[in-house]
């Protein structure tokens, strides 16, 4: 039986829904963000696994995504804020007030970055870990993902503080769930009993201890 890490779907008081699955689309409020780094699945080259393939975002419109992507270089100057988003919008020829498309401000920028970094990790490693032990695969995946945070190391404490706010817990948990699921997929996990949950719980603890 193919088990999926799920919880009850609940309406959120801030719009959208509280995490129903780590297979849910990237939704903040009622908006879905897409990235240019969706993984190219090579499941045919891998042994059958009960763990689903890496999750993908549900594309909506690429305009918000392009603005957020253009905003990332400004994070080191303006932080995870509407100021960075306004600068990114200007670079693309939009008015600075375009940041109004992102009612959650810096959280929307963090949301985009974490999804984009996870998909880049999958793209970098999928089908390229043959010959390594499970531990080595997990370690390689964690290091690869953390490397995408390094350019923002000086500002990451701000992002962590935003994610730590109680009303942003659903965003933080959604990304952590997707990340641990994808790392175990890359590691070739085939567990289908309680170990499926145990592995992801333990990896979540190890990864969050890095402060990312």
């Amino acid at each position: 039986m193919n088990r999926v890490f799920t919880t009850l779907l609940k309406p959120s008081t801030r719009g959208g829904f509280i995490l129903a699955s780590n297979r849910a689309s990237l939704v903040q409020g009622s908006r879905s963000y897409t990235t240019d780094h969706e993984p190219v699945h090579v499941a045919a080259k891998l042994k059958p696994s009960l763990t689903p393939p890496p999750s993908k975002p549900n594309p909506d419109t690429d305009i918000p995504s392009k603005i957020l992507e253009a905003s990332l270089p400004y994070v080191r100057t303006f932080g995870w804020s509407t100021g960075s988003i306004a600068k990114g919008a200007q670079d693309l020829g939009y008015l600075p007030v375009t940041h109004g498309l992102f009612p959650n401000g810096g959280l929307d920028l963090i949301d985009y970055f974490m999804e984009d970094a996870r998909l880049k990790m999958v793209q970098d490693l999928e089908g390229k870990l043959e010959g390594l032990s499970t531990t080595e695969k997990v370690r390689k995946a964690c290091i690869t993902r953390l490397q995408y945070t390094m350019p923002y190391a000086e500002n990451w404490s701000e992002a962590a503080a935003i994610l730590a706010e109680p009303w942003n817990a659903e965003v933080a948990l959604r990304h952590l769930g997707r990340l641990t699921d994808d790392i175990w997929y890359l590691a070739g996990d085939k567990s289908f009993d309680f170990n499926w949950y145990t592995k992801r719980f333990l990896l979540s603890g190890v990864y969050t201890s890095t402060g990312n």
Side-chain angles (χ1 to χ4, degrees), residues 77-103:
T77 302
F78 299 97
W80 301 92
S81 67
T82 54
S84 293
I85 297 175
K87 288 291 185 180
Q90 282 184 292
D91 282 355
L92 297 180
Y94 298 104
L95 294 174
V97 294
T98 305
H99 66 71
L101 288 171
F102 309 95

Side-chain angles (χ1 to χ4, degrees), residues 44-171:
K45 299 180 181 179
L46 303 176
K47 294 181 179 180
S49 171
L50 293 176
T51 298
S55 51
K56 298 170 63 178
N58 182 22
D60 182 0
T61 173
D62 63 352
I63 294 178
S65 299
K66 288 185 181 301
I67 292 175
L68 292 172
E69 182 178 14
S71 303
L72 289 175
Y74 293 100
V75 167
R76 280 166 281 188
T77 302
F78 299 97
W80 301 92
S81 67
T82 54
S84 293
I85 297 175
K87 288 291 185 180
Q90 282 184 292
D91 282 355
L92 297 180
Y94 298 104
L95 294 174
V97 294
T98 305
H99 66 71
L101 288 171
F102 309 95
N104 300 292
L107 180 64
D108 283 335
L109 189 54
I110 296 168
D111 197 7
Y112 173 85
F113 166 74
M114 294 181 72
E115 178 78 346
D116 188 50
R118 180 182 61 80
L119 293 176
K120 286 178 179 177
M121 176 202 71
V122 172
Q123 188 178 58
D124 288 347
L125 299 179
E126 195 169 24
K128 301 175 184 177
L129 298 176
E130 290 82 356
L132 298 180
S133 67
T134 298
T135 299
E136 290 172 330
K137 290 177 181 177
V138 170
R139 181 175 182 273
K140 178 69 172 177
C142 287
I143 291 175
T144 300
R145 170 58 186 84
L146 290 171
Q147 286 176 338
Y148 285 108
T149 304
M150 288 304 295
Y152 311 98
E154 293 184 2
N155 303 86
W156 193 250
S157 60
E158 179 188 355
I162 292 174
L163 290 171
E165 296 287 355
W167 46 83
N168 294 333
E170 62 184 275
V171 178

